[in-house]
Amino acid sequence: MKNEKLIPVDQFCSYYEIEFSFINSLEEHGLIEIIRLEQTHYLDEAQIGTIEKMIRMHYDLDINPEGIDVIFQLLARIDNLQAELRTLKNQLGRTDQ
């Protein structure tokens, strides 16, 4: 395993006052990865920012994991389209946005 900083899921859930079942459902939908070592479940520190966004969507906006999945897919498509647009503008010699 590379130099990952792992956070135990139970500590993460306790800190954010969320249920383990929510984290588990995010993994079931392929939105995050839970690392299992021996009997303990961990989250990679690199995922924390994304998981925090998902927590806000779920608990503040009442969006279910399926909806979160759709939102993140759409955001990824927007990012890809924006990158493609920048590339095309650069090829045309335009730098305005």
Side-chain angles (χ1 to χ4, degrees):
M1 194 173 282
K2 50 189 169 181
N3 291 334
E4 298 175 6
K5 291 189 178 180
L6 301 178
I7 300 166
V9 173
D10 59 343
Q11 288 181 7
F12 181 85
C13 290
S14 176
Y15 180 81
Y16 286 94
E17 299 177 353
I18 61 172
E19 298 292 323
F20 175 79
S21 60
F22 174 67
I23 295 296
N24 196 44
S25 67
L26 293 177
E27 183 191 37
E28 288 173 358
H29 286 89
L31 296 169
I32 64 169
E33 179 183 356
I34 295 177
I35 300 163
R36 291 166 179 81
L37 299 174
E38 297 176 16
Q39 297 289 331
T40 309
H41 298 82
Y42 297 93
L43 297 170
D44 185 342
E45 187 180 66
Q47 299 182 97
I48 300 304
T50 301
I51 297 171
E52 287 173 336
K53 290 177 188 175
M54 293 176 186
I55 290 169
R56 286 191 297 275
M57 286 180 188
H58 181 69
Y59 288 97
D60 295 348
L61 302 174
D62 201 29
I63 300 172
N64 63 17
E66 293 85 0
I68 293 170
D69 186 20
V70 170
I71 290 168
F72 272 80
Q73 287 180 33
L74 290 172
L75 290 172
R77 288 181 70 188
I78 290 170
D79 287 343
N80 289 337
L81 289 170
Q82 287 175 334
E84 185 178 338
L85 181 60
R86 272 191 300 277
T87 300
L88 292 171
K89 281 184 175 181
N90 287 338
Q91 288 176 351
L92 292 173
R94 299 176 63 193
T95 57
D96 60 305
Q97 298 187 21

